[in-house]
Amino acid sequence: MRAWAELLRVSALFTVPGDALAGTAATGRRPDRGTAYAVGASLCLYEAGMALNDWADRDEDAVDRPHRPLPSGRITPAAALGAAGLLTAAGLALASRAGRPALTVATALAGTVWAYDLRLKHTAAAPAVMATARALDLTLGATATGPAPRAGRRPAATVPIRHALDLTPGATATASAPTGIPAGRRPGAAVRGGAPRRAPDLVAGAPVTGRGAAARTALRVAAPAAALAAHTYAVTAVSRHETQGGSTLVPLAALAATAALGAFTGLGALRRSGGAAALVPLLPAAGYIGTAAVPLLHAALNPSPPLTQRAVGGGIRAMIPLQAALAARAGAGGTGIAVLGLAPLARTLARKVSPT
């Protein structure tokens, strides 16, 4: 079991659920069953990537990391590859339970993970590919979570908007939109005075406004997805030097990115909250900067392999407060605090199983 815990880097698992929860918060919805499926799918695909990563790097690890489970002989390459395949299938199966859009995003995420591990990890595109994977993981949570029903309103998605608003003078209401007929008017009666009459209970959920809402939701999801991608890009760029060390500029650039993202989440929270209420969303933003910045600064001052690896580990753990800050920035303070509660667990387990 110890070998599998090392192979799958279980201490890094706590950095995964916050992706889906931050994506859900960005949509303005509450977590539901679809969110749970998204979290499960994300965990499976993340672990599939971990197993596949060691399978693909087994020859390199035999030189640089002979203590890893595969080069040390504790786990066979075939078992690691089989685990990657099974975990990928499980992740896609869970995503399918959340609907076709979620399955589409999960399929793209799985393809990104496999392409990174098998082909792109040692290319210049590696940081961008990993950043794309994290952005897709957040998007998975946004697409898997169903829309919240409006209290007191009938679902209007199946009613064409042309029946909700009569724009033709003298036109008649038809039986195809019975709920839009005012009380006391029989179906087919002419609109009095030839003036347009609005059916307010249908317009709010009509497909045209739904398209506009979808576009606005996509824009709200884009910002946190880009923030998470930027952090992932920075951490991945630093990780490319963790076995040999020797880079000062890369940790410095990652440190600048950390400061910018901390300001983005913290200032965004201040705009939404005032007074003592602002402390709740500011807490994860401060935790993010504190977790990621100090190890990066040490790695920049002394770019040795141990300090570079410590900076990578700090960057991985900093995912949790960043996800919490993004959720709080979207107005989901409770979700942010819940995600932030995963940080102590990740830190404790990281002392036993390295996340890198």
Side-chain angles (χ1 to χ4, degrees):
M1 291 301 295
R2 171 77 183 188
W4 282 101
E6 292 180 18
L7 175 71
L8 299 176
R9 296 171 174 86
V10 293
S11 62
L13 270 180
F14 296 102
T15 70
V16 178
D19 288 346
L21 292 172
T24 299
T27 66
R29 302 165 184 162
R30 294 182 177 180
D32 60 9
R33 181 181 298 179
T35 312
Y37 284 130
V39 170
S42 297
L43 290 170
C44 288
L45 294 177
Y46 187 84
E47 292 292 47
M50 292 298 182
L52 186 63
N53 173 79
D54 274 33
W55 180 86
D57 288 351
R58 61 192 185 279
D59 293 334
E60 179 182 335
D61 286 344
V63 176
D64 295 331
R65 295 180 171 185
H67 61 279
R68 293 293 299 164
L70 266 64
S72 66
R74 290 177 291 160
I75 296 177
T76 65
L81 183 60
L86 289 175
L87 286 165
T88 300
L92 294 178
L94 286 170
S96 69
R97 299 287 296 173
R100 184 175 297 177
L103 177 59
T104 300
V105 175
T107 302
L109 175 57
T112 303
V113 169
W114 280 72
Y116 173 84
D117 284 333
L118 297 181
R119 183 71 62 176
L120 301 174
K121 181 179 181 180
H122 298 291
T123 69
V129 176
M130 282 298 291
T132 300
R134 275 287 177 174
L136 285 171
D137 203 28
L138 185 145
T139 306
L140 176 59
T143 56
T145 306
R150 300 190 178 190
R153 294 189 183 275
R154 290 184 58 184
T158 59
V159 181
I161 194 172
R162 65 177 179 273
H163 298 310
L165 181 62
D166 186 358
L167 299 177
T168 307
T172 60
T174 65
S176 58
T179 59
I181 302 169
R185 184 182 298 278
R186 67 183 184 279
V191 177
R192 184 177 299 172
R197 181 181 296 274
R198 185 182 297 272
D201 60 329
L202 290 179
V203 172
V208 171
T209 57
R211 292 174 185 171
R216 289 191 296 272
T217 298
L219 290 175
R220 290 197 298 266
V221 172
L228 198 59
H231 175 76
T232 305
Y233 187 102
V235 174
T236 307
V238 174
S239 72
R240 291 165 67 84
H241 303 275
E242 64 180 338
T243 58
Q244 303 296 329
S247 175
T248 296
L249 291 179
V250 175
L252 281 177
L255 184 61
T258 298
L261 290 172
F264 168 75
T265 54
L267 293 178
L270 282 176
R271 284 197 297 267
R272 296 187 63 94
S273 307
L279 296 178
V280 174
L282 281 177
L283 180 62
Y288 164 67
I289 295 176
T291 304
V294 174
L296 285 171
L297 180 59
H298 289 166
L301 294 175
N302 179 12
S304 62
L307 289 181
T308 302
Q309 292 171 13
R310 190 173 301 174
V312 174
I316 293 173
R317 292 194 306 273
M319 291 280 186
I320 297 175
L322 177 58
Q323 295 157 347
L326 292 172
R329 184 179 184 273
T335 297
I337 295 301
V339 172
L340 193 60
L342 297 174
L345 299 175
R347 186 164 49 249
T348 300
L349 193 54
R351 298 190 185 103
K352 299 180 179 181
V353 180
S354 173
T356 63

Coordinates of all heavy atoms in Angstrom, one line a residue, residues 25 43 50 60 80 91 95 99 101 107 123 131 143 170-171 193 206 231 266 281 291 305 311-313 332:
A25 N -18.9 27.5 -8.0 CA -19.1 28.8 -7.4 C -19.1 29.9 -8.5 O -19.8 30.8 -8.4 CB -18.0 29.1 -6.4
L43 N -10.8 13.3 -9.4 CA -9.9 12.5 -8.6 C -9.4 11.3 -9.4 O -8.2 11.0 -9.4 CB -10.6 12.1 -7.4 CG -10.9 13.1 -6.3 CD1 -11.8 12.6 -5.2 CD2 -9.6 13.7 -5.7
M50 N -1.1 10.5 -12.5 CA 0.1 10.2 -11.7 C 0.7 8.8 -12.0 O 1.9 8.7 -12.1 CB -0.4 10.2 -10.2 CG -0.7 11.6 -9.7 SD 0.7 12.7 -9.7 CE 0.0 14.1 -9.0
E60 N 13.9 7.3 -16.9 CA 14.5 8.5 -16.3 C 14.6 8.4 -14.8 O 15.6 8.8 -14.2 CB 13.7 9.8 -16.7 CG 14.2 11.1 -16.2 CD 13.3 12.2 -16.6 OE1 12.7 12.1 -17.7 OE2 13.3 13.3 -15.9
A80 N 1.2 -0.3 -13.2 CA 1.0 1.1 -13.2 C 0.2 1.6 -14.5 O -0.7 2.4 -14.4 CB 2.4 1.9 -13.2
G91 N -13.1 7.6 -14.3 CA -13.3 9.1 -14.4 C -14.3 9.4 -15.4 O -15.2 10.3 -15.2
A95 N -18.1 11.1 -15.0 CA -18.5 12.3 -15.6 C -19.7 12.1 -16.5 O -20.6 13.1 -16.6 CB -17.3 12.8 -16.5
G99 N -23.9 14.2 -17.1 CA -24.5 14.7 -18.4 C -23.5 14.8 -19.5 O -22.2 14.7 -19.3
P101 N -22.5 17.4 -21.5 CA -21.4 18.4 -21.4 C -20.3 18.1 -20.5 O -19.1 18.3 -20.9 CB -22.2 19.7 -20.9 CG -23.6 19.4 -21.3 CD -23.8 17.9 -21.2
T107 N -13.6 14.2 -21.2 CA -12.9 13.5 -22.3 C -11.7 14.3 -22.8 O -10.6 13.8 -23.0 CB -13.8 13.2 -23.5 OG1 -14.9 12.4 -23.0 CG2 -13.1 12.5 -24.6
T123 N 8.6 18.7 -23.6 CA 8.7 19.7 -24.6 C 8.4 21.1 -24.0 O 8.0 21.2 -22.9 CB 7.6 19.4 -25.7 OG1 6.3 19.6 -25.2 CG2 7.7 18.0 -26.2
A131 N -1.4 23.6 -17.6 CA -2.3 24.7 -17.3 C -3.7 24.4 -17.9 O -4.7 24.7 -17.3 CB -1.7 26.0 -17.8
T143 N -19.7 22.7 -15.6 CA -20.6 22.1 -16.6 C -21.4 20.9 -15.9 O -22.5 20.6 -16.4 CB -19.9 21.5 -17.8 OG1 -18.9 20.6 -17.3 CG2 -19.2 22.6 -18.6
G170 N -53.3 42.8 -32.3 CA -54.5 42.0 -32.7 C -54.2 40.5 -32.7 O -55.1 39.7 -33.1
A171 N -53.0 40.1 -32.4 CA -52.7 38.7 -32.5 C -53.4 38.0 -31.4 O -53.9 38.5 -30.4 CB -51.2 38.5 -32.3
G193 N -57.1 46.1 -27.4 CA -56.5 47.3 -27.9 C -55.4 47.1 -28.9 O -54.7 48.1 -29.3
A206 N -37.0 32.0 -20.8 CA -37.1 31.6 -22.2 C -35.7 31.3 -22.8 O -34.7 31.8 -22.3 CB -37.7 32.8 -23.0
H231 N -1.4 29.8 -12.4 CA -0.7 29.2 -11.3 C -0.1 27.9 -11.7 O 1.1 27.6 -11.4 CB -1.6 29.0 -10.1 CG -0.9 28.4 -8.9 ND1 0.0 29.0 -8.1 CD2 -1.0 27.1 -8.5 CE1 0.5 28.1 -7.2 NE2 -0.1 27.0 -7.4
G266 N -7.6 38.6 -3.9 CA -7.9 39.4 -2.7 C -8.7 40.7 -3.0 O -9.6 41.0 -2.4
P281 N -13.2 36.1 2.7 CA -12.5 35.9 1.4 C -11.1 36.2 1.3 O -10.3 35.7 0.5 CB -13.4 36.7 0.4 CG -14.0 37.8 1.2 CD -14.2 37.2 2.5
T291 N 1.7 30.3 1.2 CA 2.0 28.9 0.9 C 3.0 28.8 -0.2 O 4.0 28.0 -0.2 CB 0.8 28.1 0.7 OG1 -0.1 28.1 1.8 CG2 1.2 26.6 0.4
P305 N 18.4 21.5 -6.2 CA 17.3 20.6 -6.3 C 16.4 20.5 -5.1 O 15.2 20.5 -5.3 CB 18.0 19.3 -6.7 CG 19.3 19.7 -7.3 CD 19.7 21.0 -6.6
A311 N 9.8 24.1 -3.5 CA 9.0 25.2 -4.1 C 7.9 24.5 -4.9 O 6.8 25.0 -4.9 CB 9.9 26.1 -5.0
V312 N 8.2 23.4 -5.6 CA 7.1 22.7 -6.4 C 6.1 22.2 -5.4 O 4.9 22.3 -5.7 CB 7.8 21.6 -7.2 CG1 6.7 20.8 -7.9 CG2 8.7 22.2 -8.3
G313 N 6.5 21.6 -4.3 CA 5.6 21.1 -3.3 C 4.7 22.2 -2.8 O 3.5 22.0 -2.6
A332 N -19.1 32.7 -3.0 CA -19.4 31.4 -2.3 C -18.4 31.3 -1.1 O -17.5 30.5 -1.1 CB -19.3 30.2 -3.2

